Amino acid sequence: MFPFSKNIKLEGDKTIWTVVFLLLIISGLVVYSVEGLSPTKSHVRNILLGLITMYGVHKLKFKYFSKLSVVGLVVSIFLLIFVYFIGQEINGAKRWISLGSLSFQPSDFAKIMLLVFMSRQISKYRDHLNNFKDFSWYVLGPLLLVCVLILPSNFSTSALVFINGFALLFFARIRMKYILGIIGVGTFLCSIIYFSAKYIPPFQEVMPRSTTWVSRIDGFIYPDQNHVKDEGHQLNESKIAIKNGGLFGKGPGKGVQRHFLFAGSSDFVYALTVEQYGIIIGGIFPMFLYILFFYRSIIISQRTESVFGSLMVASLSFALLFQAAVNMAVNVGLFPVTGQTLPLISRGGTSIIFTCIAIGIILSVSRDSNDREYEKA
């Protein structure tokens, strides 16, 4: 079909390639049934760009990502600051930078670069991390800086980045007292932000998005109260979609909740997938694919002889799995609304491309898992 297809060789873990293709097929089918033809064309374009990017990234030797992450993190920090001044405001939040017809969220790029950079720092300075001063300078500082820059416009993404960084510290077997201390500080700060946003008006003026965070949390805890009725309404509509689906679903394109659910092709795509394809195919099968992806990634992480490569794979795959788990938990009513998309399935624009970059890095490690050049360097 394609004259150049003979020159294209998919390397790395074949199971991960298969999982990616299956999730993207599900994505195309569901987005088409929810949004129609015109938005689906744009979505398919992003899928193709993501696959091309993933193919190019997986062809690189993973040792190169060490130096690239330093540049990438600096660029990420610059973009996260830059977006506050010229960012495109959507739904009361400046998260997007527009380049012509293309818009992207710097936080999507920062999530990847931070984990790769932290993996580099831990592998390079692992003999110095028993000292809290060095640990704070080399590892904890960059994590907190990125989280703080993301926080004003996107609390849920900032929290996810923090948890992903925490998971990486756990994978790297950093001192447990440091990890417990980070958990304690993180929990305390989240509580301070919640109660300040709820009861201190000046804080709401400084951080306008904080009122949305509070309403989402309260909408989850008190769905029937009038002041959080909209947030509770979304969760109820999502549950109705899942109930309508039953075991086998109403059939492709036959779901009715797409007319009532806001962000049905992104934040609540999982509920609409279950409504159309049922709990078995639309609900359990995507869960199985994500778990299979993480399982294969952990095998790759264990097989590689590079500490840097191992930590990269473990952290990036965990980040994808955890985001999927959060999205599914929101859709079934186990978690407050977060605005997090379902990786590789939601119609999220350039987020698919950035997800494909992360997967490309994992595939790069899997195709070169015995490369000791980085460690020797």
Side-chain angles (χ1 to χ4, degrees):
M1 182 176 181
F2 299 101
F4 53 84
S5 60
K6 293 182 180 179
N7 299 322
I8 295 178
K9 183 180 179 182
L10 302 181
E11 299 180 87
D13 191 275
K14 297 299 186 292
T15 302
I16 289 181
W17 278 108
T18 303
V19 167
V20 170
F21 286 131
L22 289 174
L23 288 173
L24 290 176
I25 289 172
I26 294 172
S27 177
L29 292 173
V30 176
V31 170
Y32 175 71
S33 65
V34 174
E35 296 285 354
L37 182 59
S38 181
T40 303
K41 288 181 179 179
S42 173
H43 181 59
V44 171
R45 179 200 65 190
N46 290 329
I47 288 176
L48 293 176
L49 286 174
L51 288 174
I52 292 170
T53 305
M54 183 167 63
Y55 179 82
V57 170
H58 104 289
K59 283 293 186 179
L60 298 174
K61 285 186 175 293
F62 71 83
K63 63 178 182 178
Y64 297 134
F65 296 116
S66 175
K67 292 183 179 179
L68 288 174
S69 69
V70 179
V71 178
L73 186 66
V74 173
V75 173
S76 298
I77 292 172
F78 172 77
L79 291 175
L80 289 172
I81 297 173
F82 191 61
V83 75
Y84 288 129
F85 299 99
I86 66 159
Q88 181 182 6
E89 186 171 331
I90 299 177
N91 296 329
K94 287 187 175 182
R95 303 176 187 171
W96 287 264
I97 292 179
S98 297
L99 300 173
S101 60
L102 183 67
S103 298
F104 72 97
Q105 295 188 54
S107 58
D108 288 334
F109 181 62
K111 286 188 293 187
I112 301 172
M113 288 299 103
L114 177 65
L115 292 177
V116 177
F117 178 79
M118 288 179 63
S119 299
R120 171 193 186 271
Q121 295 295 89
I122 293 172
S123 63
K124 186 175 181 179
Y125 300 105
R126 56 185 177 274
D127 294 333
H128 302 275
L129 298 182
N130 288 328
N131 180 284
F132 187 75
K133 180 180 178 182
D134 291 336
F135 168 72
S136 300
W137 174 255
Y138 291 125
V139 180
L140 184 60
L143 172 62
L144 294 180
L145 176 60
V146 171
C147 290
V148 168
L149 290 175
I150 296 174
L151 177 62
S153 61
N154 198 333
F155 176 82
S156 62
T157 297
S158 179
L160 255 66
V161 169
F162 183 84
I163 293 172
N164 292 337
F166 162 77
L168 174 55
L169 298 179
F170 182 79
F171 293 143
R173 299 179 182 178
I174 299 297
R175 280 190 171 185
M176 187 55 65
K177 66 178 181 179
Y178 294 166
I179 295 177
L180 293 176
I182 293 171
I183 294 175
V185 171
T187 303
F188 175 75
L189 290 178
C190 287
S191 301
I192 291 295
I193 292 172
Y194 172 78
F195 288 108
S196 298
K198 190 169 184 177
Y199 298 111
I200 304 177
F203 185 86
Q204 299 171 5
E205 296 176 4
V206 174
M207 202 171 289
R209 287 287 299 173
S210 61
T211 55
T212 302
W213 309 337
V214 171
S215 66
R216 286 179 172 179
I217 295 173
D218 288 351
F220 175 73
I221 300 175
Y222 313 108
D224 297 327
Q225 290 190 6
N226 292 330
H227 68 288
V228 293
K229 191 174 181 180
D230 289 341
E231 301 296 340
H233 172 76
Q234 281 290 94
L235 293 174
N236 288 333
E237 295 296 334
S238 178
K239 293 176 184 178
I240 292 172
I242 293 173
K243 182 179 179 181
N244 288 345
L247 284 177
F248 304 105
K250 299 179 74 67
K254 295 182 180 180
V256 297
Q257 286 303 105
R258 68 180 185 274
H259 302 298
F260 305 100
L261 263 174
F262 177 75
S265 63
S266 53
D267 299 2
F268 289 94
V269 70
Y270 182 70
L272 297 183
T273 303
V274 174
E275 183 183 33
Q276 294 182 57
Y277 296 95
I279 294 175
I280 297 176
I281 297 177
I284 297 177
F285 184 58
M287 291 175 59
F288 167 76
L289 292 177
Y290 287 119
I291 294 172
L292 179 60
F293 172 87
F294 184 65
Y295 170 73
R296 293 301 306 175
S297 297
I298 292 302
I299 290 177
I300 295 168
S301 176
Q302 291 176 339
R303 285 179 178 175
T304 182
E305 298 182 12
S306 164
V307 175
F308 171 62
S310 177
L311 293 177
M312 266 202 313
V313 172
S315 60
L316 290 173
S317 60
F318 174 83
L320 187 145
L321 177 71
F322 186 68
Q323 182 175 331
V326 168
N327 179 276
M328 293 176 179
V330 169
N331 277 243
V332 299
L334 295 178
F335 211 72
V337 176
T338 61
Q340 295 298 317
T341 57
L342 190 59
L344 296 176
I345 293 182
S346 292
R347 178 176 173 256
T350 52
S351 65
I352 285 185
I353 298 175
F354 287 117
T355 301
C356 287
I357 290 175
I359 297 173
I361 295 173
I362 294 173
L363 290 169
S364 173
V365 177
S366 73
R367 67 182 283 269
D368 232 349
S369 60
N370 293 322
D371 188 347
R372 295 188 183 183
E373 293 180 41
Y374 174 79
E375 296 303 318
K376 291 179 181 178

